[in-house]
Amino acid sequence: MSESFRLGAVLALTGGFLDAYTYLIRGGVFANAQTGNIVLLGVRLMEGDWGGAGHYLVPILAFAAGVLAAELIRGRFRGAQALHWRQITVAAELLLLAAVAFLPAALDNAANVLVAFVCAVQVESFRKVHGNAFATTMCTGNLRSGTERLYQFLRSGNPEQRRQAGQYYGIILCFILGAALGAWVSSLLAERAVLIACVLLLAAFLMMF
């Protein structure tokens, strides 16, 4: 189940939602796309804006910490019987995002740290759909792989390549829909909008049973 397309679709919805949420509500920072934050970090350093550079450095470090946390959870709970270790990571994500919903605008940096941490845990925990490498919190790799599979299908006519291309593009579409949903809900609920991402993660948690 952890490699099913429908679970990947729900997680991609969540990933897109969180990126829109942090960009629109939490100070123009990308929760998932650390490449964007790294570019902006370099720009701020070039400008001599040390405070601005720190604004982007913090979520980058939080993302790295999230990857480490996911690996620690996998190592500690890989043999657990009651819950799969990936369910434990999803439950942790849900709880952290629920806390983010109640952080005021004055604590945007703290909110971005938690959301970046959550996204890193997710991208490290869920890396495949039907055995193929996917990302549910960013799209660049999916776009490359999907287009590669499409080219291979056009050359060979292999329906398996077409199916895989469709899956990659389907995940990208879900990410876009998640971002659109995040933008809409953020305009209505502001900081509390992230609670909708908690609902999506709860659905993912239950699907894994």
Side-chain angles (χ1 to χ4, degrees):
M1 174 55 72
S2 64
E3 293 187 12
S4 70
F5 178 82
R6 61 182 180 273
L7 181 62
V10 171
L11 294 174
L13 281 170
T14 306
F17 188 104
L18 292 175
D19 246 356
Y21 170 77
T22 56
Y23 185 79
L24 295 172
I25 301 298
R26 296 296 188 175
V29 171
F30 291 108
N32 301 328
Q34 297 308 312
T35 300
N37 289 333
I38 289 170
V39 170
L40 292 170
L41 169 63
V43 171
R44 295 297 180 267
L45 289 173
M46 184 63 186
E47 295 172 343
D49 181 3
W50 310 115
H55 182 65
Y56 293 104
L57 177 61
V58 169
I60 294 169
L61 295 177
F63 193 93
V67 172
L68 294 175
E71 287 300 308
L72 288 172
I73 292 172
R74 178 168 65 171
R76 174 66 179 82
F77 297 101
R78 195 164 192 170
Q81 299 298 316
L83 292 175
H84 193 280
W85 70 268
R86 289 187 175 92
Q87 284 178 294
I88 296 173
T89 65
V90 170
E93 290 177 53
L94 196 161
L95 292 174
L96 289 174
L97 291 181
V100 168
F102 297 96
L103 292 178
L107 295 177
D108 279 352
N109 282 340
N112 288 327
V113 165
L114 291 176
V115 176
F117 182 90
V118 162
C119 292
V121 169
Q122 179 171 308
V123 77
E124 184 67 12
S125 300
F126 299 90
R127 299 193 291 184
K128 291 184 179 181
V129 172
H130 294 304
N132 295 303
F134 274 75
T136 59
T137 63
M138 57 197 75
C139 292
T140 304
N142 294 339
L143 181 60
R144 181 199 64 79
S145 297
T147 306
E148 179 183 72
R149 299 299 196 283
L150 177 61
Y151 172 77
Q152 291 170 350
F153 164 69
L154 293 174
R155 285 201 63 185
S156 67
N158 185 345
E160 177 63 17
Q161 301 294 345
R162 180 182 61 190
R163 183 184 69 82
Q164 291 178 9
Q167 288 178 342
Y168 279 109
Y169 289 132
I171 292 294
I172 292 171
L173 177 61
C174 288
F175 190 92
I176 294 170
L177 293 174
L181 177 64
W184 178 60
V185 176
S186 294
S187 70
L188 300 175
L189 302 179
E191 287 84 4
R192 300 288 194 276
V194 76
L195 292 173
I196 301 302
C198 294
V199 174
L200 293 172
L201 287 175
L202 177 61
F205 178 84
L206 295 175
M207 287 169 67
M208 292 182 69
F209 282 108

